[in-house]
Amino acid sequence: MRLYQYFLLFIVSFSISQAYGNIRVISLSPNTTEIVHELIQLSDQNKTLLVGTIYYPSQPSYYNNIPSIGSYQGINVEAILKLHPTVVVTWKNQTPPQVLALLKRFGIKVAIFNAESLVELANSFTQIAKVISLEKEGIALKEKFTSQLQKIVQNARQGKDKAENINTQQSPRVFLQLSQQPIFSIGGVGILNDIIHVCRGENIFDHVQKTSFQTMLSAVIKENPDVIIMLSSVAMSKAYQTVTNSMWKSWPAINAVKEKRVYLLSSSVISQFSPKIIKGVNAVCSILRTN
């Protein structure tokens, strides 16, 4: 569609949107969709509506009732305009900048959010809530998440205190493996690294100032982690499980392999930066509490 056609469609859409009277939200990332959905669920009014989202595999069933405006492979700007949004929300680096620039060009409000820690993630709930006129619900969601996190942290601290009393290792050195071929891990920046620290562990690549990066087998062997946590995209009955037949079995000298501390962690509980990640935090802390 040519630019002037987009402009005409926008004029019509803008005029129609004024008649709705509601806050009409389109979300362009899975985690902002989940956050908006949670906020709306807490509301006893219908003033804020989630009217469009992008598609992604294994998305929750409630997505089925929300129009799709594309996926990571391509976002349909025309479809966005036809949905008459009051605001479009997304997460940093989750939407092509040219799409955001085009939406802004037509006067559509675009709000981009980000968090580098669990505390910042909780703060993002209130930030998003303010943009979509659900401030009270944002405070409630933040308080619930923070309360759950505090309980997990307290349990992790008690586990460390117990370890100190019996003179065992205080802070297990952790290798969080995002993929096998190639081997990707996390650096010392971002929410996943923060989860390890919250759970009283030490990321073996904490010195790498990147959120994630590709590493070498030799680097992992050199760092000799005490715990290896491998993310799995395969459906699992539990959040995590021990594994003996992994790619690491050929290196029994690694502490994690020698002590049978290699785990599979369901990616579904940790990959989405939304209130759902609390389940992933609890799983990681449970893993490290036993080591």
Side-chain angles (χ1 to χ4, degrees):
M1 178 179 285
R2 294 182 179 181
L3 189 60
Y4 77 90
Q5 291 175 309
Y6 274 129
F7 181 74
L8 291 176
L9 178 58
F10 169 71
I11 293 298
V12 174
S13 299
F14 180 80
S15 300
I16 295 176
S17 67
Q18 302 307 298
Y20 278 97
N22 293 320
I23 305 297
R24 298 174 59 80
V25 185
I26 289 179
S27 172
L28 301 184
S29 69
N31 56 317
T32 51
T33 299
E34 184 61 31
I35 294 168
V36 171
H37 175 72
E38 288 288 327
L39 292 169
I40 291 175
Q41 291 297 106
L42 290 173
S43 175
D44 56 1
Q45 303 179 35
N46 293 319
K47 65 178 181 180
T48 300
L49 306 173
L50 183 57
V51 298
T53 66
I54 65 166
Y55 168 83
Y56 75 97
S58 304
Q59 61 188 23
S61 58
Y62 69 80
Y63 271 71
N64 298 335
N65 300 320
I66 304 173
S68 171
I69 45 79
S71 66
Y72 282 129
Q73 285 69 42
I75 293 176
N76 189 332
V77 174
E78 181 180 359
I80 293 176
L81 296 177
K82 286 181 177 179
L83 288 169
H84 328 301
T86 307
V87 61
V88 171
V89 299
T90 189
W91 204 251
K92 184 179 178 181
N93 298 326
Q94 293 289 304
T95 305
Q98 61 269 26
V99 171
L100 299 179
L102 185 56
L103 293 176
K104 291 177 181 178
R105 188 170 182 178
F106 288 110
I108 294 178
K109 182 178 180 180
V110 175
I112 305 170
F113 301 92
N114 188 42
E116 297 293 345
S117 68
L118 292 168
V119 170
E120 289 182 8
L121 178 62
N123 289 336
S124 76
F125 302 159
T126 56
Q127 293 164 0
I128 293 174
K130 184 176 181 180
V131 168
I132 64 174
S133 298
L134 291 176
E135 291 90 340
K136 180 182 69 175
E137 291 77 9
I139 294 172
L141 186 59
K142 177 182 177 179
E143 289 179 348
K144 178 182 177 181
F145 182 85
T146 302
S147 176
Q148 292 173 324
L149 183 60
Q150 287 175 341
K151 290 179 181 178
I152 294 172
V153 170
Q154 183 178 8
N155 289 337
R157 185 177 294 115
Q158 290 173 347
K160 180 181 178 182
D161 293 342
K162 181 179 178 181
E164 289 174 344
N165 291 336
I166 60 176
N167 296 318
T168 57
Q169 186 174 11
Q170 297 181 25
S171 298
R173 302 183 69 252
V174 183
F175 171 50
L176 180 58
Q177 183 175 359
L178 304 179
S179 65
Q180 296 188 36
Q181 293 181 346
I183 300 175
F184 266 83
S185 186
I186 62 168
V189 179
I191 290 177
L192 297 184
N193 179 67
D194 189 46
I195 290 174
I196 292 177
H197 284 286
V198 162
C199 294
R200 320 301 284 188
E202 178 185 345
N203 175 12
I204 63 170
F205 292 124
D206 188 66
H207 58 280
V208 179
Q209 293 302 300
K210 294 182 179 180
T211 303
S212 63
F213 68 102
Q214 183 177 342
T215 188
M216 304 294 292
L217 178 64
S218 57
V220 179
I221 294 174
K222 179 182 178 182
E223 292 293 341
N224 193 19
D226 303 304
V227 179
I228 295 175
I229 302 175
M230 308 170 65
L231 293 195
S232 172
S233 59
V234 178
M236 297 168 55
S237 58
K238 298 180 180 179
Y240 71 92
Q241 62 187 40
T242 56
V243 56
T244 55
N245 189 28
S246 73
M247 62 175 285
W248 299 105
K249 67 179 181 180
S250 299
W251 288 272
I254 297 177
N255 284 342
V257 180
K258 180 170 56 179
E259 300 297 330
K260 297 181 174 56
R261 294 171 178 171
V262 181
Y263 300 85
L264 281 180
L265 175 67
S266 174
S267 61
S268 65
V269 302
I270 204 170
S271 59
Q272 189 178 114
F273 299 157
S274 74
K276 285 185 174 181
I277 205 171
I278 204 73
K279 187 174 182 180
V281 178
N282 194 40
V284 172
C285 286
S286 294
I287 289 173
L288 299 189
R289 203 160 48 236
T290 62
N291 292 276

